[in-house]
Amino acid sequence: MQFMLLFSRQGKLRLQKWYVPLSDKEKKKITRELVQTVLARKPKMCSFLEWRDLKIVYKRYASLYFCCAIEDQDNELITLEIIHRYVELLDKYFGSVCELDIIFNFEKAYFILDEFLLGGEAQETSKKNVLKAIEQADLLQEVSTQSVTSEHLCKCIATPQ
Amino acid sequence: MPAVSKGDGMRGLAVFISDIRNCKSKEAEIKRINKELANIRSKFKGDKALDGYSKKKYVCKLLFIFLLGHDIDFGHMEAVNLLSSNKYTEKQIGYLFISVLVNSNSELIRLINNAIKNDLSSRNPTFMCLALHCIANVGSREMAEAFAGEIPRILVAGDTMDSVKQSAALCLLRLYKTSPDLVLMGEWTSRVVHLLNDQHMGVVTAAISLITCLSQKNPDEFKTCVSLAVSRLSRIVSSASTDLQDYTYYFVPAPWLSCKLLRLLQCYPPPEDGAVKGRLVECLETILNKAQEPPKSKKVQHSNAKNAILFEAISLIIHYDSEPNLLVRACNQLGQFLQHRETNLRYLALESMCTLASSEFSHEAVKTHIETVINALKTERDVSVRQRAADLLYAMCDRSNAKQIVAEMLSYLETADYSIREEMVLKVAILAEKYAVDYSWYVDTILNLIRIAGDYVSEEVWYRVIQIVINRDDVQGYAAKTVFEALQAPACHENMVKVGGYILGEFGNLIAGDPRSSPLVQFNLLHSKFHLCSVPTRALLLSAYIKFINLFPETKSTIQEVLRSDSQIRNSDVELQQRAVEYLKLSSIASTDVLATVLEEMPPFPERESSILAKLKKKKGPGAVSVNELEEGKREGGELNGGGERGGDSSAIASTPSPSADLLGLRAGPPVTAAAPSAGSLLVDVFSEAGVNDDGFLRFVCKNNGVLFENQLLQIGIKSEYRQNLGRMYLFYGNKTSVQFVTFTTTVTCPGELQSHILHIHTWNSLEPLIEGGAQVQQVINIECLTDFSDAPLLNIKFRYGGALQNLTLKLPVTINKFFQPTEMASHDFFQRWKQLSLPQQEAQKIFKANHAMDTEVLKAKLLGLGMALLENVDPNPENFVCAGVIQTKAQQVGSLLRLEPNAQAQMYRLTVRSSKDTVSKRLCELLAEQF
């Protein structure tokens, strides 16, 4: 995988993870172009598209689009499930995750992603093991509460598209 | 799990994020951010030492601001400090900041690497993982240099925790991708391969990505992985859906690992060992069988995971291309997917079938799905799916179905999306040519193509139809008749007029017997289009007219009248005017014999690669495979006599059948083409000399701005500025003509040593590939001087002007003296330092004749332009000049002193340069000797 982007329906970038070295300028250009392309697509269209010499795999969960760029020989369907597993991890960790959780706890979203994918490849696909690693880290921290509400991403987990 | 935000909740951060979200406008957001940046800056600069928590909070805020898309130019040091914190969360935030905002600042990298080193040797698995994640995220060469030796040891050590092993494997993969020369597996190879046997599925999942990448590069060293991968795969495939516990995903056992295993096997040919191969075939059959079983869950995740494995297995089957039984089964399976209700599956099935179509075993099986695919092309609502369908039709096309497929593609073209029309046109043109048995069908197809999608028919396509008609006399009469009919349409595309003009000019006589297409009717038909056409087409038509005079003497007076009219003979376009004048003269002076010789029918074109094919090859995508195929098919069949120009080559246009090219004697030099009316003859000379142009180079030793290069077409201006060891150069490319330059590209290269050690050149703002006539575009080049250097970077410029490729290489005037810092010093200091630099190699001296007037003021200006300080009252002889300066390179500073002694009587100079580095003295002396 070359990169993963999370952005909202309004086109706001919520998370970006780059697995290839690119300049900031290039990253911004790619983001702009892809957000535009993906947002322009209709709901029933297929989740894959060719873009430059890469394949784009994307899926929408509630208000968020998850979008991955993979190389020619990579598997599109398994990438869709990488996205889903990541959503599940976020959901399990935050408890009914919503876009606001990712905005306010962006650093956590990055930490969870790093436990799951490293260098663009699946590192640990077991949900239990990933969450165990994150929770062990959390044990080293004080806990404070803070409540946020918004549309839950998991609505889409319950009803497959 | 409770709905709480985990962690130690940085309240200030949450408040800040809320504030940003509440900003009503972009301006308000920027204002709020600037306020925060000022606050953080003052905290970081403040006298009070910040506690770890505050530092973490501020670093996190900076990170948030950066991720919003704003630039951050401080805080790196604080983030690095966090790395050595004992508190996990502080360390974690520090690493996150570094991962996202790496800075190539060498000082910082050393500190970061130190912190990583400490964490790697901490024996604390959580810390080790953090450090490994950071390396994997940054993946820079400096990190590879520091850790590529250590990580393999961690990966294979017996006492390493599983989670650390997983991170180490993927970390190593990332380093291998960026710096393959630094990652040497050597002695570890076999132990790494055996990670495929690891009990922990997570370790296998991570390690296999590394092994796959290494196998691609060194298949022999890693080939033992094949049997291990097969047995691992076999165990997974045959396991019950619950055996693998948490590695089972929606009732599918280990889908990610299965896909990766199948992918690894695609790096190798089929296993030679019969038992291994048998086991693998069994696995593949099981996977195909499972596809027929009823689903264990209705969830899309279940079917996606299952089908991901299936598609990967089919890829492996196609890769082996040796098991007819499996290939046909794969094809049938994909055939089912072609009609699946999931768009994703239809898309993938079309894509995968495209590769199956090229296998001799499955080509026929793929063909049976033609109706479904045609239907997809017509009815799919998503253009990307339709594109796949078009690709597949192209791939499955052969002589038996060519007419059907070409007809379907043509009818699709009428409504096709603009984005794919050009490619469709090329594909239709290629298929029509390749499978044409009957050339009237070919001519019909191409003319239809021009009628339906004229704008997308590139020159290559219509050149090609002309080449083929000229080379095959059995189709010439038909072609003339068909274009004549096509031109009857009240509105027809200009490309049709071009083809029509050319073909009637050559073969109009073949249909002239019919009174409905008598010579005069043909001429009037062509001429009725004349005024609607662009200059190149008009030029082509004028050539057709002179050929008419030769073919049909009865049209002579009519045509001469047209040529003689003011709109031709006084046309403001020089090419049109010239043609009109010359053709008129030729028709009135030359005897019929001479005219017949000059305007003889075009000789056949030599057989070459189809230019259309070359064009399609340049396009990426799945079509590429089939193009190669097609080429082979063509070589074997060789059914076409058609020739072509050198595909895509610069001179392609010159060798195409240009009407004027063959009017011998009219113009010496290279043939002028219809497409490049006035350019041709002058162009070829302009850039004809190969090699590097360095005329401008020496003029810039003592100045930074000016015109580097200029000819009839192009002017290149330079503005540059230098500070310390850094420079920035602005290049201005001006198009001096009224015609646009297309595919304009520039590349800066540092030849030889310069590239790796001496100069670091970075070009930004990529140029648009098009420069309009009269326009100027700008490019910026950043230069960093690492150590002293003698060579100059090269600037290569390529573009097309009126169809002809222009190629030019210039030396960029980046010379070592640009990095001078002037140093003022008194006479005493100067001579003391002069004496200190007394080693023979530190001095370079040259005595040379003056090339210019020995004017003191001019000399002074030049020496100042050199970048050194011009020291007054230092040399006892007032006629002499002395200068001092320090050259700033990244690696070191090189102090230099210079003395120039003019001898007005002899019109000679003696130049002496001393500097702490011999290469610098020598180079400065060389550069300067040319300046005075």
Side-chain angles (χ1 to χ4, degrees):
Chain A
M1 187 185 296
Q2 297 220 340
F3 56 85
M4 183 193 251
L5 303 174
L6 263 68
F7 51 87
S8 71
R9 232 170 347 172
Q10 289 76 34
K12 289 250 185 203
L13 191 59
R14 296 302 182 203
L15 183 140
Q16 46 177 320
K17 190 76 190 179
W18 304 87
Y19 298 111
V20 284
L22 291 169
S23 69
D24 284 345
K25 200 177 160 211
E26 182 69 2
K27 287 177 187 171
K28 281 185 183 164
K29 192 170 162 225
I30 291 174
T31 308
R32 220 173 23 243
E33 215 173 289
L34 270 184
V35 168
Q36 220 172 30
T37 311
V38 170
L39 287 180
R41 290 176 63 84
K42 299 191 186 77
K44 284 285 167 200
M45 285 188 164
C46 86
S47 310
F48 321 123
L49 52 119
E50 278 186 342
W51 182 80
R52 297 192 187 174
D53 53 349
L54 297 175
K55 300 194 284 197
I56 302 297
V57 177
Y58 73 93
K59 187 163 178 178
R60 186 177 145 182
Y61 287 88
S63 58
L64 271 189
Y65 284 87
F66 290 68
C67 175
C68 298
I70 56 175
E71 279 145 78
D72 193 42
Q73 71 277 11
D74 291 338
N75 189 312
E76 290 98 335
L77 285 174
I78 208 72
T79 309
L80 261 187
E81 294 320 299
I82 282 193
I83 293 177
H84 187 76
R85 171 109 300 175
Y86 182 47
V87 174
E88 284 184 345
L89 288 167
L90 292 171
D91 194 60
K92 191 94 183 164
Y93 179 78
F94 287 107
S96 301
V97 68
C98 63
E99 193 183 337
L100 278 183
D101 289 318
I102 295 173
I103 297 173
F104 280 93
N105 303 284
F106 67 96
E107 77 284 8
K108 292 289 171 198
Y110 280 98
F111 297 147
I112 295 171
L113 188 58
D114 271 354
E115 291 293 338
F116 174 43
L117 295 180
L118 195 61
E121 296 283 336
Q123 173 176 218
E124 176 54 86
T125 59
S126 151
K127 199 153 67 173
K128 271 188 206 152
N129 289 351
V130 173
L131 290 170
K132 205 166 72 192
I134 291 287
E135 271 157 26
Q136 264 173 3
D138 276 341
L139 279 181
L140 301 162
Q141 309 174 16
E142 313 134 277
V143 178
S144 81
T145 55
Q146 183 187 32
S147 65
V148 278
T149 50
S150 79
E151 193 181 2
H152 291 153
L153 299 185
C154 61
K155 264 207 276 188
C156 291
I157 299 178
T159 50
Q161 291 179 341
Chain B
M1 200 161 289
V4 294
S5 161
K6 300 282 189 80
D8 54 351
M10 289 170 274
R11 213 178 137 62
L13 177 66
V15 170
F16 175 60
I17 295 176
S18 290
D19 282 359
I20 294 288
R21 287 176 53 74
N22 290 332
C23 286
K24 294 278 186 293
S25 64
K26 193 80 199 162
E27 291 72 36
E29 182 184 307
I30 290 173
K31 212 174 144 202
R32 179 66 187 87
I33 284 169
N34 285 337
K35 188 178 147 203
E36 194 63 40
L37 286 175
N39 172 42
I40 299 172
R41 208 177 260 128
S42 74
K43 296 280 189 213
F44 283 169
K45 276 200 185 140
D47 307 331
K48 266 194 297 177
L50 287 176
D51 60 14
Y53 170 80
S54 311
K55 214 180 279 174
K56 176 183 78 170
K57 184 178 72 184
Y58 293 130
V59 165
C60 212
K61 279 182 181 176
L62 286 178
L63 186 56
F64 181 78
I65 294 171
F66 177 79
L67 291 170
L68 275 181
H70 302 270
D71 292 334
I72 294 296
D73 53 6
F74 69 103
H76 301 80
M77 205 56 202
E78 284 74 12
V80 173
N81 287 341
L82 286 177
L83 298 185
S84 39
S85 163
N86 287 327
K87 287 221 176 94
Y88 179 76
T89 54
E90 288 166 17
K91 194 187 271 295
Q92 201 181 20
I93 293 291
Y95 272 125
L96 181 60
F97 185 93
I98 301 295
S99 305
V100 176
L101 274 127
V102 258
N103 193 308
S104 61
N105 185 323
S106 61
E107 198 57 30
L108 224 46
I109 285 281
R110 227 182 36 231
L111 292 172
I112 296 167
N113 280 356
N114 264 339
I116 292 176
K117 195 166 279 165
N118 288 337
D119 282 334
L120 281 185
S121 51
S122 69
R123 320 288 295 163
N124 175 337
T126 346
F127 287 7
M128 288 174 86
C129 280
L130 270 188
L132 289 167
H133 291 177
C134 180
I135 302 174
N137 281 326
V138 175
S140 69
R141 196 163 171 89
E142 290 93 337
M143 287 194 175
E145 277 163 3
F147 304 110
E150 172 69 9
I151 298 172
R153 219 183 311 271
I154 297 176
L155 176 60
V156 298
D159 56 349
T160 306
M161 298 266 297
D162 290 329
S163 61
V164 178
K165 272 190 196 167
Q166 287 167 273
S167 298
L170 292 175
C171 185
L172 205 53
L173 171 61
R174 175 70 195 263
L175 293 184
Y176 184 76
K177 281 184 184 167
T178 34
S179 318
D181 54 318
L182 295 176
V183 178
L184 304 168
M185 297 313 292
E187 46 179 325
W188 311 115
T189 304
S190 122
R191 289 168 76 181
V192 170
V193 170
H194 275 85
L195 289 172
L196 288 177
N197 267 340
D198 202 284
Q199 290 182 328
H200 190 284
M201 295 279 274
V203 172
V204 190
T205 307
I208 193 169
S209 295
L210 173 67
I211 295 168
T212 305
C213 185
L214 292 169
S215 299
Q216 279 166 339
K217 299 283 158 56
N218 330 285
D220 282 344
E221 282 175 52
F222 284 83
K223 64 172 179 252
T224 47
C225 70
V226 173
S227 60
L228 292 179
V230 170
S231 58
R232 190 93 211 193
L233 180 68
S234 161
R235 269 180 282 157
I236 297 173
V237 168
S238 56
S239 67
S241 57
T242 50
D243 284 0
L244 302 174
Q245 294 160 355
D246 209 35
Y247 288 92
T248 297
Y249 179 83
Y250 291 86
F251 303 102
V252 181
W256 285 281
L257 182 52
S258 305
C259 284
K260 286 185 178 189
L261 285 163
L262 288 161
R263 176 85 195 88
L264 170 60
L265 292 170
Q266 289 172 58
C267 302
Y268 290 91
E272 280 156 22
D273 181 327
V276 177
K277 188 171 180 192
R279 209 162 167 200
L280 177 57
V281 168
E282 216 170 90
C283 286
L284 295 171
E285 279 171 345
T286 313
I287 293 171
L288 285 166
N289 290 341
K290 280 188 179 174
Q292 299 302 322
E293 290 169 10
K296 294 195 175 68
S297 155
K298 283 207 173 80
K299 289 246 159 79
V300 71
Q301 283 75 27
H302 171 72
S303 69
N304 278 351
K306 192 167 138 183
N307 291 329
I309 299 172
L310 178 60
F311 274 106
E312 208 57 69
I314 291 177
S315 294
L316 182 62
I317 292 170
I318 297 172
H319 167 76
Y320 287 162
D321 198 15
S322 60
E323 301 283 325
N325 172 39
L326 287 175
L327 280 162
V328 170
R329 281 194 68 185
C331 185
N332 293 340
Q333 181 58 54
L334 294 176
Q336 286 181 21
F337 285 153
L338 284 182
Q339 315 216 35
H340 202 278
R341 62 183 175 79
E342 280 266 340
T343 315
N344 288 347
L345 287 180
R346 295 199 301 276
Y347 177 96
L348 294 175
L350 288 165
E351 189 183 43
S352 193
M353 242 187 203
C354 230
T355 37
L356 266 184
S358 56
S359 162
E360 54 172 321
F361 300 114
S362 49
H363 183 80
E364 286 304 315
V366 170
K367 273 168 63 186
T368 59
H369 299 285
I370 184 164
E371 296 302 332
T372 320
V373 182
I374 287 173
N375 199 39
L377 186 65
K378 286 178 175 162
T379 58
E380 281 290 352
R381 278 187 295 176
D382 185 344
V383 55
S384 39
V385 186
R386 291 199 295 274
Q387 168 86 64
R388 290 285 85 82
D391 287 344
L392 178 52
L393 282 179
Y394 178 77
M396 66 162 70
C397 191
D398 62 18
R399 190 153 293 138
S400 72
N401 55 21
K403 284 199 173 175
Q404 186 189 8
I405 287 178
V406 166
E408 292 295 348
M409 284 179 141
L410 271 176
S411 81
Y412 173 62
L413 250 180
E414 306 212 30
T415 53
D417 311 73
Y418 295 109
S419 55
I420 61 173
R421 280 195 183 185
E422 194 189 352
E423 198 184 324
M424 289 287 293
V425 166
L426 289 176
K427 286 184 168 164
V428 170
I430 290 171
L431 293 179
E433 178 183 333
K434 185 178 175 202
Y435 298 114
V437 186
D438 141 19
Y439 279 87
S440 54
W441 173 73
Y442 169 76
V443 170
D444 284 342
T445 304
I446 301 296
L447 293 184
N448 262 329
L449 211 50
I450 296 176
R451 193 176 50 75
I452 295 168
D455 282 345
Y456 298 88
V457 173
S458 56
E459 285 172 344
E460 286 87 346
V461 174
W462 74 262
Y463 288 171
R464 189 72 184 152
V465 68
I466 286 172
Q467 288 165 5
I468 287 174
V469 169
I470 286 183
N471 286 13
R472 302 199 58 96
D473 43 19
D474 53 336
V475 77
Q476 289 160 357
Y478 181 81
K481 180 168 160 288
T482 324
V483 286
F484 178 77
E485 279 161 10
L487 285 172
Q488 305 284 338
C492 58
H493 195 274
E494 194 166 328
N495 280 336
M496 188 71 90
V497 180
K498 288 179 183 161
V499 176
Y502 200 98
I503 289 189
L504 293 180
E506 290 287 328
F507 309 113
N509 55 329
L510 300 177
I511 57 168
D514 189 327
R516 284 166 302 172
S517 52
S518 72
L520 219 48
V521 174
Q522 288 184 37
F523 170 74
N524 287 332
L525 180 62
L526 281 179
H527 198 54
S528 69
K529 314 284 182 196
F530 187 91
H531 303 281
L532 302 169
C533 292
S534 64
V535 170
T537 309
R538 289 191 201 183
L540 185 151
L541 285 177
L542 288 179
S543 300
Y545 297 169
I546 184 76
K547 292 189 218 165
F548 265 48
I549 293 182
N550 173 47
L551 289 179
F552 318 114
E554 67 266 37
T555 59
K556 183 168 167 178
S557 59
T558 318
I559 291 175
Q560 280 182 333
E561 209 169 301
V562 168
L563 293 175
R564 204 178 289 122
S565 70
D566 276 358
S567 61
Q568 308 297 355
I569 213 160
R570 293 180 197 280
N571 195 294
S572 61
D573 184 275
V574 67
E575 176 69 21
L576 292 182
Q577 192 188 93
Q578 187 173 3
R579 286 194 191 207
V581 171
E582 288 176 358
Y583 293 165
L584 185 61
K585 211 70 187 158
L586 182 68
S587 68
S588 28
I589 299 173
S591 69
T592 356
D593 287 351
V594 172
L595 208 58
T597 317
V598 171
L599 299 167
E600 203 180 356
E601 198 178 294
M602 287 288 291
F605 287 87
E607 172 93 45
R608 292 206 198 97
E609 184 196 11
S610 162
S611 50
I612 315 179
L613 210 53
K615 175 146 184 173
L616 189 67
K617 262 198 251 169
K618 275 196 246 160
K619 293 192 164 259
K620 289 180 183 162
V625 183
S626 4
V627 166
N628 292 335
E629 247 254 298
L630 177 122
E631 239 191 334
E632 280 160 28
K634 190 165 175 300
R635 247 179 277 125
E636 289 156 21
E639 73 260 50
L640 267 192
N641 302 324
E645 62 269 355
R646 275 160 278 168
D649 183 294
S650 56
S651 51
I653 197 149
S655 58
T656 48
S658 144
S660 64
D662 312 289
L663 300 172
L664 344 150
L666 288 188
R667 193 179 284 110
V672 174
T673 77
S678 54
S681 43
L682 112 103
L683 278 189
V684 181
D685 305 322
V686 173
F687 294 139
S688 57
E689 76 277 41
V692 179
N693 181 325
D694 60 356
D695 299 345
F697 178 74
L698 285 170
R699 283 188 281 115
F700 282 83
V701 172
C702 294
K703 64 175 184 177
N704 284 337
N705 305 331
V707 174
L708 175 66
F709 174 84
E710 182 158 13
N711 68 4
Q712 297 97 313
L713 305 178
L714 179 71
Q715 186 192 59
I716 304 173
I718 283 193
K719 263 176 80 173
S720 43
E721 53 199 39
Y722 294 87
R723 218 169 61 205
Q724 305 281 3
N725 68 323
L726 302 176
R728 178 170 291 177
M729 185 177 275
Y730 299 86
L731 289 165
F732 301 89
Y733 303 93
N735 180 346
K736 292 173 62 181
T737 71
S738 54
V739 183
Q740 57 178 216
F741 295 163
V742 293
T743 58
F744 189 92
T745 52
T746 64
T747 33
V748 177
T749 50
C750 293
E753 274 215 309
L754 202 55
Q755 182 169 21
S756 47
H757 304 294
I758 299 171
L759 264 175
H760 188 70
I761 294 237
H762 175 61
T763 316
W764 48 285
N765 86 318
S766 39
L767 284 172
E768 290 295 320
L770 203 125
I771 307 183
E772 294 295 342
Q776 192 186 56
V777 298
Q778 182 189 338
Q779 180 181 31
V780 185
I781 296 174
N782 284 341
I783 303 151
E784 186 180 3
C785 176
L786 302 178
T787 80
D788 70 288
F789 60 94
S790 301
D791 279 335
L794 299 179
L795 170 70
N796 177 263
I797 301 154
K798 282 199 184 80
F799 62 93
R800 276 178 188 276
Y801 168 67
L805 184 82
Q806 309 297 325
N807 190 343
L808 167 71
T809 304
L810 300 171
K811 264 191 187 174
L812 272 185
V814 181
T815 45
I816 187 67
N817 62 296
K818 300 291 178 194
F819 303 96
F820 258 128
Q821 291 271 104
T823 319
E824 294 292 344
M825 57 180 79
S827 171
H828 169 74
D829 291 338
F830 182 86
F831 284 106
Q832 191 179 1
R833 287 185 203 200
W834 186 264
K835 276 180 208 134
Q836 280 167 1
L837 297 171
S838 58
L839 293 174
Q841 63 268 29
Q842 289 176 326
E843 181 180 284
Q845 192 173 69
K846 246 189 180 153
I847 299 170
F848 53 92
K849 252 197 143 53
N851 285 321
H852 305 280
M854 296 174 87
D855 182 289
T856 313
E857 289 312 310
V858 174
L859 284 177
K860 276 187 181 168
K862 280 190 177 167
L863 287 170
L864 282 172
L866 186 65
M868 301 174 86
L870 183 59
L871 305 176
E872 306 277 355
N873 307 323
V874 167
D875 200 290
N877 180 349
E879 299 294 312
N880 292 349
F881 300 92
V882 291
C883 303
V886 177
I887 290 175
Q888 307 278 341
T889 75
K890 193 177 181 193
Q892 66 188 125
Q893 302 191 331
V894 185
S896 306
L897 303 173
L898 172 154
R899 189 178 200 192
L900 181 69
E901 300 159 89
N903 180 339
Q905 274 177 328
Q907 288 287 304
M908 300 278 279
Y909 292 101
R910 182 165 72 181
L911 173 71
T912 316
V913 179
R914 286 188 179 184
S915 50
S916 51
K917 208 162 170 199
D918 53 343
T919 46
V920 172
S921 308
K922 199 160 149 269
R923 181 61 181 159
L924 283 174
C925 207
E926 280 167 12
L927 286 170
L928 278 171
E930 308 286 336
Q931 299 300 318
F932 302 106

